[in-house]
Amino acid sequence: MKICMINDSWTPLWGGGPSHIWEVANKLVVNYNYQVDVIVPILTNKTSGNFPKLGNYLNNRLRIIGVGKPSEFPNIVGRINFLFSALIYCLKNNYDIYHAQYVMPALLLPVIKILKQKI
């Protein structure tokens, strides 16, 4: 099963949303051997931390994929760019399940459902 998780923040910012997505994605891969792609924006803030970066984990079963133009957070133009980039990415790729964290990424789910009738 292929699962797409969408979150509007990631490293170098880290809080409840990214932590939740990271933990759930890890469990889905380790316990069920699902393929999980986490779609996140490319952020440019200069904070530090030892957090999961963009890339592949757990034998490429968990992928953190940055989409859109790099921007600082919060930045409304950057967030809108991320939403359109995430929508395009989701429409070009086939997933069995979509999960979105927070309000803005959750707005994508009805659009994906309308445009991809089989989801």
Side-chain angles (χ1 to χ4, degrees):
M1 179 171 293
K2 289 181 67 176
I3 299 172
C4 176
M5 303 178 96
I6 307 165
N7 194 45
D8 67 352
S9 67
W10 203 252
T11 59
L13 300 174
W14 200 256
S19 297
H20 169 77
I21 292 281
W22 179 252
E23 292 298 323
V24 170
N26 269 292
K27 297 293 183 191
L28 289 170
V29 172
V30 172
N31 294 348
Y32 301 101
N33 201 32
Y34 293 156
Q35 171 68 47
V36 180
D37 291 348
V38 180
I39 311 303
V40 297
I42 302 168
L43 298 176
T44 59
N45 292 50
K46 302 292 188 238
T47 59
S48 61
N50 187 22
F51 306 117
K53 308 293 185 223
L54 301 178
N56 298 326
Y57 298 88
L58 302 173
N59 295 323
N60 295 324
R61 304 290 298 165
L62 171 54
R63 300 184 309 166
I64 310 300
I65 301 167
V67 298
K69 294 179 182 176
S71 66
E72 288 195 20
F73 185 90
N75 173 336
I76 190 65
V77 173
R79 292 179 91 176
I80 291 170
N81 176 270
F82 164 68
L83 289 176
F84 281 113
S85 299
L87 177 62
I88 291 167
Y89 184 89
C90 290
L91 293 176
K92 288 183 178 179
N93 294 277
N94 292 319
Y95 293 99
D96 300 305
I97 296 174
Y98 291 87
H99 169 81
Q101 191 76 18
Y102 297 124
V103 174
M104 288 186 74
L107 297 173
L108 297 177
L109 298 181
V111 177
I112 293 169
K113 173 65 177 161
I114 291 168
L115 297 175
K116 295 185 105 172
Q117 294 293 318
K118 294 181 182 179
I119 300 302

